[in-house]
Amino acid sequence: MLPKNVIRLFPVLILLCGCASSAPTTATPGALGSPLRPTVQPVQDDLVIFYERSGGIAGRLGQWTIFPDGRIVDGAGATKKADPGKLATLLAIARAPKTLGLTSPAGRQCPDCYAYTVRITTAGKTTTLATYDAVVNPPELDALLAALADVTR
């Protein structure tokens, strides 16, 4: 009985021995890189823009989350792809230091006007801006709102 068990285990042992390496492999310096020189990993773009437009005569609510790869997810969860040219313009405005340094302008919502909320998250920092129709905004915020409107149409 013992020889049958040993015979059954023999193929399994051979397979296991074939998987193990007897000598560690070492990288050799050459055209592909050196173990002494660290390789550069691509930086993942972590920019996320949340945009909300609410109000108007009908009291509508629109919400969008925009990712740097061009995905746009609306408030209902539907996904679409952004136009690459419009997306590039939006991302350039959103990444600008002047945009990230903005604060919300003082103002109040007027009847039948829209309220806008923009949240830009990048590198672990979130900038939140809120404004309304008929408020005098800094030019950077007006440019951001125009780019958001273009991308989310």
Side-chain angles (χ1 to χ4, degrees), residues 27-123:
T28 57
L32 296 178
S34 167
L36 302 176
R37 191 176 33 190
T39 58
V40 177
Q41 296 294 328
V43 177
Q44 184 174 352
D45 196 348
D46 64 351
L47 179 82
V48 177
I49 303 169
F50 173 78
Y51 172 52
E52 179 180 274
R53 183 183 67 206
S54 62
I57 232 169
R60 295 186 177 185
L61 173 66
Q63 295 177 327
W64 300 270
T65 304
I66 302 150
F67 298 92
D69 64 0
R71 276 181 305 130
I72 300 173
V73 181
D74 68 15
T79 303
K80 70 176 188 174
K81 247 346 203 175
D83 174 85
K86 293 177 181 180
L87 179 67
T89 300
L90 171 63
L91 295 178
I93 293 169
R95 287 189 178 109
K98 283 188 174 184
T99 303
L100 294 172
L102 288 174
T103 57
S104 296
R108 294 185 355 204
Q109 188 167 6
C110 60
D112 300 330
C113 292
Y114 279 101
Y116 304 92
T117 303
V118 180
R119 217 171 30 244
I120 304 169
T121 303
T122 184

Side-chain angles (χ1 to χ4, degrees), residues 13-30:
L13 291 173
I14 290 174
L15 289 173
L16 289 176
C17 290
C19 293
S21 175
S22 61
T25 58
T26 59
T28 57

Side-chain angles (χ1 to χ4, degrees), residues 133-153:
D133 283 342
V135 171
V136 177
N137 295 316
E140 296 84 8
L141 182 52
D142 282 336
L144 178 64
L145 292 173
L148 284 163
D150 282 346
V151 167
T152 57
R153 276 180 223 194

